[in-house]
Amino acid sequence: MAATSTPQRATALPETEEQVEVGELADPDRPWITVVWNDPINLMSYVTHVFMTVFGYAKPKAEKLMLDVHRRGRAVVSSGTRERMELDVHTLHGYGLWATLEQQK
């Protein structure tokens, strides 16, 4: 009778979105920022509305940030702990905006 063996499952590490630059370490004392990027889809009035809804910004501040996104290609819309910025990015993605987080320089 031939011996049978059970197939071994390969274990893969979960994929992560975090990329670490060589020579760059995360500094726990530096705050993290949420950056919103310009996109060709969302209307300026909608982006203003999202900033007012998500962050509670007054209309003039929301419009200034929206214009920064539109003219400069990006704007820093919030800063704080990494966990909070991850939540902000996730929330903005839910509204269809392009957003990322990075550690403040």
Side-chain angles (χ1 to χ4, degrees):
M1 186 174 254
T4 59
S5 64
T6 57
Q8 298 293 323
R9 288 188 180 179
T11 57
L13 296 176
E15 291 185 32
T16 61
E17 294 182 21
E18 182 179 347
Q19 296 179 356
V20 178
E21 297 282 331
V22 174
E24 182 178 321
L25 297 174
D27 181 359
D29 293 332
R30 287 189 303 163
W32 290 78
I33 57 175
T34 299
V35 179
V36 174
W37 300 89
N38 193 25
D39 67 63
I41 298 166
N42 293 302
L43 297 175
M44 293 189 288
S45 59
Y46 176 71
V47 174
T48 301
H49 166 76
V50 171
F51 292 164
M52 291 171 64
T53 302
V54 172
F55 301 109
Y57 292 151
K59 190 169 185 173
K61 180 170 183 169
E63 287 176 337
K64 181 199 175 304
L65 291 170
M66 173 276 299
L67 288 172
D68 284 348
V69 171
H70 180 69
R71 294 179 180 152
R72 298 178 182 182
R74 65 177 262 162
V76 174
V77 295
S78 63
S79 67
T81 65
R82 180 176 180 162
E83 292 78 14
R84 179 63 204 193
M85 297 308 97
E86 288 173 346
L87 178 61
D88 287 352
V89 167
H90 180 75
T91 302
L92 292 168
H93 287 172
Y95 282 92
L97 299 185
W98 293 353
T100 58
L101 73 143
E102 59 188 58
Q103 200 163 25
Q104 196 169 33
K105 296 176 182 170

